[in-house]
Amino acid sequence: MQEFTGVWVRDPRIQKEDFWHAYMDYEICIHTNSLAFTKKSSCVRRRYSEFVWLRKKLQENAMLITHLPKLPPKNPFFSLNNAREIGARMEGLRKFLEEVVHNPVLLSDSCLHLFLQSQLSVKKIEACAKGRSRYTVSEAIHSFGSGIKRFESQSEESMEEDDDMQCESE
């Protein structure tokens, strides 16, 4: 059987932080039969700034071993109401992820897997990837991805609270 990995970037949503500040996030879906992925199907929501973080992290971890694809450019005048701009950004993000998930060097990065298959914040992704959380990468993906809860001993909320306390004490 031939290996495949499909990536979709869809469902843009405006998230309001307060009266003056809002941002757009996107649903990122993966469907694969690749053994490199913990889950064969997953969907998470991510914003553009998290993609910028991911690219920087992949660049740090891969160093000069491989070429890293570019993200769509940051537009300081990006309009949350312009369908053409939103569509172009989503297509650029999809192309970026397509190249990344088909690159064996980048595919070995645990930050990539946590980014694509868990709803953890970038701060918690970094902690987990460095082994500074109570859960492994695989456990985080199973527990904090797509709303599936798999930890039997603790609820997701108590694990997140424990992890927040652990990160703050470091």
Side-chain angles (χ1 to χ4, degrees):
M1 179 191 287
Q2 187 172 353
E3 192 172 282
F4 70 89
T5 302
V7 178
W8 294 268
V9 177
R10 60 187 186 197
D11 190 24
R13 291 186 191 165
I14 297 172
Q15 305 294 334
K16 294 191 178 213
E17 294 180 311
D18 58 37
F19 185 74
W20 295 104
H21 299 94
Y23 64 89
M24 179 80 59
D25 71 4
Y26 310 90
E27 184 178 50
I28 312 304
C29 295
I30 303 289
H31 184 70
T32 186
N33 66 353
S34 170
L35 296 175
F37 287 89
T38 302
K39 294 171 76 177
K40 301 310 170 197
S41 291
S42 63
C43 292
V44 296
R45 297 203 68 83
R46 296 289 177 194
R47 61 190 287 185
Y48 182 82
S49 62
E50 292 173 313
F51 278 88
V52 172
W53 170 86
L54 175 65
R55 188 177 189 284
K56 182 180 175 205
K57 202 41 101 170
L58 292 172
Q59 197 166 29
E60 287 172 8
N61 295 344
M63 297 201 275
L64 299 173
I65 297 172
T66 189
H67 165 74
L68 210 57
K70 294 198 180 301
L71 286 168
K74 174 123 174 112
N75 178 356
F77 304 107
F78 183 80
S79 171
L80 298 177
N81 299 315
N82 185 322
R84 189 177 53 76
E85 287 181 15
I86 293 168
R89 178 173 278 182
M90 287 191 319
E91 182 60 16
L93 295 174
R94 186 195 63 75
K95 285 180 180 178
F96 168 78
L97 288 176
E98 280 283 343
E99 284 189 54
V100 167
V101 300
H102 289 100
N103 181 318
V105 173
L106 301 176
L107 196 56
S108 67
D109 195 303
S110 57
C111 287
L112 172 66
H113 291 275
L114 289 164
F115 178 87
L116 292 173
Q117 297 198 298
S118 80
Q119 279 298 154
L120 293 176
S121 67
V122 294
K123 180 181 175 184
K124 289 182 182 180
I125 289 172
E126 285 183 347
C128 185
K130 290 178 181 176
R132 289 195 223 138
S133 65
R134 291 184 164 205
Y135 38 83
T136 65
V137 170
S138 181
E139 289 170 337
I141 289 169
H142 282 298
S143 182
F144 303 115
S146 301
I148 298 172
K149 297 179 183 177
R150 301 226 174 170
F151 289 97
E152 295 175 13
S153 61
Q154 290 182 302
S155 70
E156 181 177 326
E157 294 80 19
S158 66
M159 284 196 70
E160 284 183 330
E161 288 170 9
D162 290 349
D163 191 47
D164 284 342
M165 289 173 56
Q166 185 176 4
C167 288
E168 289 169 7
S169 67
E170 292 178 353

